[in-house]
Amino acid sequence: MKEKTKQRIKQFSVDRDWDKYHNPANLAKTIAIEACELVECFQWDDDKYKIDKVKAELADVLINCQNLLDKLNLDEDEIVNQKMDENENKYPVEKIKGLNKKYDEI
């Protein structure tokens, strides 16, 4: 995410004095709730969804993820690359390509 966007998200909460509600537990719960609202966009039909609603719910997830990153002083590139390293080790291309199995099933 661009630095300008991150700052805008942060300033939004500061201006409204909402930071006091942004503890890690509340943010994690909010991310889960917003993710469920995103899933709801596809609830009854995988192919018929309103892209504007999907974009709005996905944005809510991303905004709250950014708030949690800020609260925990985490760098998104660092934690994503760390997780990708783990995933690449768990799911080597030569064993998993084209399969949808979990790492403990390969």
Side-chain angles (χ1 to χ4, degrees), residues 15 22-23 25 36 71 86 103 105:
D15 290 348
H22 288 182
N23 62 60
C36 287
K71 184 56 68 174
E86 292 172 16
Y103 65 93
E105 296 174 333

Side-chain angles (χ1 to χ4, degrees), residues 72-93:
L72 297 175
N73 296 313
L74 297 173
D75 178 88
E76 66 271 22
D77 288 316
E78 182 181 323
I79 66 171
V80 166
N81 282 305
Q82 181 180 2
K83 184 63 177 179
M84 289 304 300
D85 289 344
E86 292 172 16
N87 287 343
E88 289 167 354
N89 286 329
K90 275 194 215 177
Y91 299 100
V93 174

Side-chain angles (χ1 to χ4, degrees), residues 39-79:
V39 171
E40 190 176 34
C41 295
F42 305 96
Q43 185 172 8
W44 302 114
D45 192 331
D46 293 349
D47 299 321
K48 293 182 183 174
Y49 53 86
K50 295 178 181 168
I51 192 66
D52 288 341
K53 182 69 172 159
V54 171
K55 287 169 31 178
E57 297 304 340
L58 184 55
D60 285 341
V61 171
L62 292 169
I63 289 165
N64 284 288
C65 285
Q66 184 58 50
N67 283 332
L68 185 55
L69 286 162
D70 281 344
K71 184 56 68 174
L72 297 175
N73 296 313
L74 297 173
D75 178 88
E76 66 271 22
D77 288 316
E78 182 181 323
I79 66 171

Side-chain angles (χ1 to χ4, degrees), residues 22-37:
H22 288 182
N23 62 60
N26 283 348
L27 289 168
K29 289 180 241 180
T30 300
I31 291 165
I33 291 164
E34 294 298 346
C36 287
E37 290 177 9

